[in-house]
Amino acid sequence: MTNEAIEKWICDYMADPAHNTMKELPYPAWEEPLVGFSRAEDPLYAFYQQHIDPEFYLRPEQWLEKAYGHAFDPKCVSVISWALPQTRDTHIKCQTQTDCPTIEWQMARVHGENCNRNLAKALEQHLISLGYEALAPMCSDEFSWGKSDKFLLVSNWSERHTALISGLGTFGLCGGLISAKGKAARYGSVIVNLPLDPTPRPYTQYNEYCQAKNGCTACIRRCPAGAISIHGHDKQKCQEYHKTVIEPLCRSRYDYTGYAVCGLCQTNVPCEWGIPGKK
């Protein structure tokens, strides 16, 4: 199984309207995926484990060890990572919003995330059917969230950090990942006991694509919660705004009572459609 074959499988899966759907709305959830690859031996996995929580966060080979009950060589374990970008239609509809995203954005977060998880599970099962030991962390019973004095809330596997390691992009001031298709995207991954070629990282800094260092304050101005500053993203303010403002607005405006999100900082900003300054 090659990088090219895996990337084609992912793109073909997402090209099927039965898979790429928002269910309640007659639109696809996502545009064509971006795919990247990395190896478990990459030192950034060990670095992020130490940075996030060395007792809680798991490296790729540790996920396989928990699932299959034996040791794995990090040199032979690869991570397949992807970004599912928001559709152009959803982008445009959200650009003029100032307090709460549109119903399309909400459905992309709910049904689109189900689509993301279905992709992860389908790829996991596809690789297993070919004889490889594979696991999608986001679909695993071992996946969990925990409280953190340092970061407020953490998970034992981060799809965005994995995407950064896999060459897909770097972080912005608001905490979103800026990829070649912009900041508005969902991320997923599958770990497999197969030595795939890592995707070269065209960056050296974790926030290299963010233009805040050059004076950009677009996402700060777009945030209705005041949760973004030159110092970064205040998760607590962000969560409070979701609960006290976004959820009531979704009920009154869209008659929607499900999981509600904001994300206005991902539209009408220079990194909305891609990497600022690059075609």
Side-chain angles (χ1 to χ4, degrees), residues 42-120:
D42 192 306
L44 280 182
Y45 282 112
F47 170 78
Y48 280 125
Q49 183 182 49
Q50 293 299 313
H51 181 63
I52 294 171
D53 189 326
E55 301 299 322
F56 181 61
Y57 199 84
L58 299 175
R59 300 189 308 275
E61 71 275 16
Q62 292 176 317
W63 281 96
L64 291 183
E65 287 164 7
K66 280 182 171 290
Y68 290 94
H70 65 85
F72 287 82
D73 182 353
K75 294 180 181 179
C76 298
V77 173
S78 299
V79 182
I80 306 157
S81 176
W82 59 82
L84 301 179
Q86 287 278 11
T87 66
R88 182 175 180 82
D89 180 67
T90 300
H91 270 279
I92 291 172
K93 287 179 178 177
C94 276
Q95 285 177 343
T96 57
Q97 298 293 105
T98 59
D99 54 2
C100 176
T102 62
I103 188 62
E104 288 83 2
W105 189 278
Q106 305 298 337
M107 292 297 97
R109 177 59 181 86
V110 177
H111 298 306
E113 178 58 15
N114 287 337
C115 163
N116 187 26
R117 289 173 179 269
N118 290 340
L119 165 61

